């Protein structure tokens, strides 16, 4: 805590902020379309040795929607996520799928990835 900063609502700013974090690592973002909206997809994980006992609440804060709490955190060295960050006409949408360790049943991970891949955002001009 105390290191959180506002990166604004854009998808690109979120991707850059995630890539700039230490001690985590992000793959280079790929441009994607999610429904009718453009965005980015990248993988994110812990890199190196992290002393989780030194983190607030023993949680490594990944990102937050406020400056007083953590929206997403890692509890172990083995967590890994794939993110899609989409620009919804000036507002950012963030969805992710991941695992805490590699021992999770691969069938469950394939099902989770299928749900992740099915998420779309559509603009309804009538509504």
């Amino acid at each position: 805590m105390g290191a959180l900063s506002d990166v604004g609502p854009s998808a690109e700013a979120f991707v850059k902020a995630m890539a700039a974090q230490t001690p985590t690592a992000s793959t280079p973002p790929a441009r994607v379309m999610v429904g009718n909206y453009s965005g980015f997809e990248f993988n994110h994980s812990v890199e190196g040795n992290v002393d989780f006992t030194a983190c607030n609440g023993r949680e490594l804060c990944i990102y937050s929607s406020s400056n007083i709490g953590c929206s997403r955190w890692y509890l172990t060295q083995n967590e890994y996520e794939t993110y899609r960050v989409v620009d919804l006409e000036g507002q950012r949408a963030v969805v992710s799928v991941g695992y805490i360790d590699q021992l999770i049943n691969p069938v469950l991970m394939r099902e989770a990835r299928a749900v992740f891949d099915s998420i779309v955002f559509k603009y309804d001009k009538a509504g």
Side-chain angles (χ1 to χ4, degrees), residues 14-94:
F14 182 87
V15 172
K16 286 180 180 179
M18 293 286 282
Q21 287 181 359
T22 58
T24 61
S26 291
T27 59
R31 288 202 170 270
V32 295
M33 291 298 293
V34 181
N36 299 329
Y37 296 96
S38 64
F40 302 93
E41 182 173 314
F42 63 95
N43 297 322
H44 196 73
S45 61
V46 175
E47 184 176 75
N49 292 326
V50 175
D51 180 6
F52 285 88
T53 62
C55 299
N56 288 359
R58 298 179 185 254
E59 301 168 345
L60 177 63
C61 188
I62 302 302
Y63 68 86
S64 180
S65 57
S66 74
N67 63 357
I68 57 172
C70 199
S71 299
R72 179 66 180 111
W73 58 87
Y74 292 162
L75 296 173
T76 72
Q77 193 78 24
N78 302 320
E79 295 191 49
Y80 174 94
E81 293 180 288
T82 299
Y83 279 87
R84 285 197 186 132
V85 186
V86 182
D87 179 6
L88 302 178
E89 298 182 5
Q91 294 297 310
R92 175 180 62 233
V94 178

Side-chain angles (χ1 to χ4, degrees), residues 96-109:
S96 66
V97 64
Y99 58 83
I100 294 174
D101 66 50
Q102 296 177 353
L103 299 176
I104 292 177
N105 183 329
V107 173
L108 296 176
M109 285 308 303

